[in-house]
Structures are given as structure tokens and as C-alpha cells.
Amino acid sequence: APQRAASIPSPRPVEVTNESLLKAIETCPFPKLLKSERSARDLLSKHLAKILGREKITANRAVGRHLPWKADLDILEKFGIIIRLGRSVIGKKPSDTKNAQNLLGQVVLLAGAYGRGNLFIVFAGEIPKSQLPALGELRGWMESVGGRCVQRP
């Protein structure tokens, strides 16, 4: 009788919790230089799909009824992820705060919708040393409203 090849079981998706999602984000192999936020989102989405299961992830899900804001990635309508390139969080000049203000507004609304600690803000790629103090200040504000900041690579 012919022998059957042993089937290799596919890894079972991980149960999605705040900590398992954080660990999955932290293990995503982001390169130092990324071309765009979209490429960062696609890379993270594929990485999370392998760990958590593709059916649990939605891209660009609108959250809110009257003021719909989008999370870059949504996990089971329970966790949200915003992805920003590290180099573009703060504008080119310290006086250029439009990007930071937009991000803060998005974090306030999405953190309220997802609940404290269930919104992850991922800074992907290299962050210029000159912007680190401003990013630290921005991070404090985002965490004060319930966001969780993750810096990658």
C-alpha cells in the first residue's frame, strides 16, 4: 500500500488579545526605509494574517456613526491600528504641526471608539533624531487618551 505523506498542520491562529496583538506587531519585520504608509500597512496586514488569521483583519474600516474616521487596520472590530511612517509624523519644520494635529485628532476619536488601550499607533521605519523630542511629546498625548504607541523597526 502506498504511504501517505504526513500532512503538516498549519499553525492555529492565535487568540486575539491586547498583548498577543502587541507581540505580533512587534515581530513584524519592517525595513528601516519604507516607501509609503500603504506599503507599511500591507506588510503589517500580511504579517498579522499569518499569525491571527486573515479573516480577522479589515483594512480602512470606518469607525463612528456621525464622524467616521478610518483605522488603517481593524482586528475583529475590537482593536484598531494606525500606521505612520516615522519620518513623516512631524513636518519638515518644527512649526509645521499639521501632520501631528491630524494624527492626534484621529487618535482621540478612534481611541474613544475602540476603548482604552485597544488602539495601536505604529511608527514604521526610521525616525530622524531631530524629531525624537517632538515625537516623545506627541506619544505622551496619544497615550493619555488611551492609544498604545509602538515604534518599529
Side-chain angles (χ1 to χ4, degrees):
Q3 289 210 335
R4 288 186 182 167
S7 65
I8 299 169
S10 60
R12 285 188 12 193
V14 172
E15 179 188 351
V16 183
T17 64
N18 204 299
E19 291 309 310
S20 69
L21 182 55
L22 177 62
K23 186 176 179 183
I25 292 168
E26 289 176 337
T27 60
C28 184
F30 286 110
K32 282 190 176 188
L33 296 174
L34 288 157
K35 290 182 181 176
S36 66
E37 286 174 2
R38 183 182 184 140
S39 64
R41 183 194 69 207
D42 292 347
L43 180 70
L44 182 58
S45 180
K46 286 176 187 170
H47 178 74
L48 293 177
K50 286 180 198 170
I51 296 171
L52 307 174
R54 185 169 306 285
E55 71 284 354
K56 296 177 182 173
I57 301 164
T58 307
N60 294 317
R61 179 175 172 268
V63 177
R65 285 176 231 146
H66 303 293
L67 288 173
W69 285 73
K70 290 186 179 181
D72 294 324
L73 295 174
D74 174 88
I75 315 299
L76 295 171
E77 297 184 6
K78 185 176 178 186
F79 300 100
I81 300 173
I82 297 172
I83 301 164
R84 292 291 176 270
L85 293 182
R87 69 176 183 266
S88 66
V89 173
I90 311 293
K92 292 183 195 262
K93 294 182 258 173
S95 59
D96 183 10
T97 60
K98 186 177 178 187
N99 290 352
Q101 289 173 351
N102 287 343
L103 178 58
L104 276 174
Q106 187 178 15
V107 169
V108 167
L109 291 168
L110 290 176
Y114 282 106
R116 189 161 199 80
N118 292 337
L119 177 68
F120 295 84
I121 303 95
V122 178
F123 299 110
E126 213 159 19
I127 298 171
K129 288 190 185 342
S130 63
Q131 293 186 2
L132 288 174
L135 184 64
E137 191 174 343
L138 186 62
R139 184 181 188 138
W141 289 329
M142 290 187 289
E143 290 175 349
S144 74
V145 295
R148 292 184 74 173
C149 297
V150 182
Q151 193 171 326
R152 300 285 305 138

